[in-house]
Amino acid sequence: MSPLAVFLILIVSLTALLVASLTKQFQEENLIYSNKNPMKNSNTKTKTIEKEKVVAETLNGRFAMIGLIAAVGAYLTTGQIIPGFV
């Protein structure tokens, strides 16, 4: 197996572990946040933020940052944003 293949397998596995741990951590934090911080508007009606939306937006942001890091890494290593694509 070539060194590049080993490196890529290592990076993919570390990314998967990071995403799994962040997902669990943010789900727990967002449950606590949504129970403690209801949203209020000027009519003094209390609205709560649905925990699914908070988790979805947080994960969306995290995956976007991982994609940005991957794009920068691809550009730094190959000089192309999408390696192999002309």
Side-chain angles (χ1 to χ4, degrees), residues 2-71:
S2 70
L4 180 61
V6 173
F7 176 72
L8 291 175
I9 290 170
L10 177 69
I11 294 298
V12 168
S13 61
L14 288 175
T15 303
L17 288 172
L18 177 69
V19 167
S21 66
L22 285 175
T23 301
K24 183 176 179 182
Q25 175 187 356
F26 286 118
Q27 284 177 344
E28 292 170 357
E29 288 177 4
N30 289 329
L31 284 174
I32 294 169
Y33 174 80
S34 65
N35 291 334
K36 289 186 178 180
N37 296 320
M39 212 168 80
K40 296 180 181 178
N41 62 12
S42 61
N43 297 337
T44 67
K45 293 180 182 177
T46 303
K47 291 186 177 181
T48 57
I49 301 172
E50 296 173 16
K51 66 179 181 175
E52 292 85 7
K53 290 181 181 178
V54 175
V55 170
E57 288 297 323
T58 304
L59 288 177
N60 188 22
R62 296 296 173 191
F63 287 130
M65 290 300 111
I66 290 172
L68 183 64
I69 297 296

